[in-house]
Amino acid sequence: MRSSRLGSALLPLAAAAVVTCLAAACGTTSPVAGAAYGTTSAAAMAAGSPSASAASKTPAKTVLTVRKTKIGSVLATSAGQTVYWFSKDVRGSGKSACAGSCLAAWPVVPGTPVAAAGVRLAGKLGTITRPGGIVQATYNGYPLYTYAMDLTAGQTLGNDAAGMWHVITGAALSAAPAGASPTATSTGTTAGY
């Protein structure tokens, strides 16, 4: 019983250490976006595999939706994985500041984004093309990512990681009333852009 209490007390500390470690990941290896979810390696993509040529010609559609979480409604993939934006990315630049080992912790949302049936987003969906021809979804000009430590649908463990990774929530998710500016709002953490 005593070791069970100790284990329960240490779990939040271990989780915080993992989040901090993964948030700071910025080495030189080049996993492909989505590697945590079983996609092809960067070497295979760069080598001209059928996946690489298909990705650059006709990127797959990626369905985005809104999902209720403990911190409120957030932008998510059709599988329920929370979607994040990175504050080091420059809005509308067409580039991502997350590369190398950063992608192991923060896999990109690949493909051309479309809103799920019945979902009306206030922001503009788009794409950028990463080095190697990988198409990455964007929202309001920001490249989109998931978080490798979000192991179940609706988790938001990456929100405010290292003060640079944020969920997309608030007014940016639903069509704003006429004249309103669609910007995200904070839910107790820095969640907007």
Side-chain angles (χ1 to χ4, degrees):
M1 182 178 223
R2 185 172 200 177
S3 65
S4 175
R5 286 184 192 159
L6 180 60
S8 296
L10 293 177
L11 187 57
L13 293 174
V18 169
V19 167
T20 302
C21 183
L22 288 175
C26 289
T28 58
T29 59
S30 296
V32 167
Y37 305 106
T39 57
T40 312
S41 70
M45 292 294 276
S49 69
S51 298
S53 60
S56 61
K57 292 180 184 172
T58 39
K61 299 280 185 202
T62 297
V63 178
L64 298 178
T65 191
V66 175
R67 182 172 184 93
K68 289 185 181 184
T69 68
K70 290 180 180 179
I71 63 172
S73 295
V74 299
L75 191 63
T77 66
S78 61
Q81 293 174 305
T82 301
V83 172
Y84 298 87
W85 67 281
F86 184 34
S87 63
K88 286 189 176 184
D89 287 337
V90 177
R91 182 179 184 174
S93 71
K95 296 180 182 178
S96 167
C98 181
S101 62
C102 174
L103 292 174
W106 300 96
V108 304
V109 175
T112 302
V114 295
V119 173
R120 196 166 155 215
L121 300 171
K124 183 178 178 185
L125 296 170
T127 62
I128 63 169
T129 302
R130 297 182 63 87
I134 298 166
V135 174
Q136 180 176 2
T138 65
Y139 187 67
N140 281 344
Y142 285 97
L144 301 178
Y145 308 84
T146 56
Y147 183 47
M149 294 304 294
D150 284 346
L151 301 179
T152 61
Q155 282 190 310
T156 57
L157 298 175
N159 192 37
D160 205 29
M164 297 182 286
W165 294 93
H166 313 287
V167 298
I168 299 171
T169 189
L173 291 181
S174 58
S181 175
T183 58
T185 58
S186 178
T187 58
T189 58
T190 307
Y193 48 74

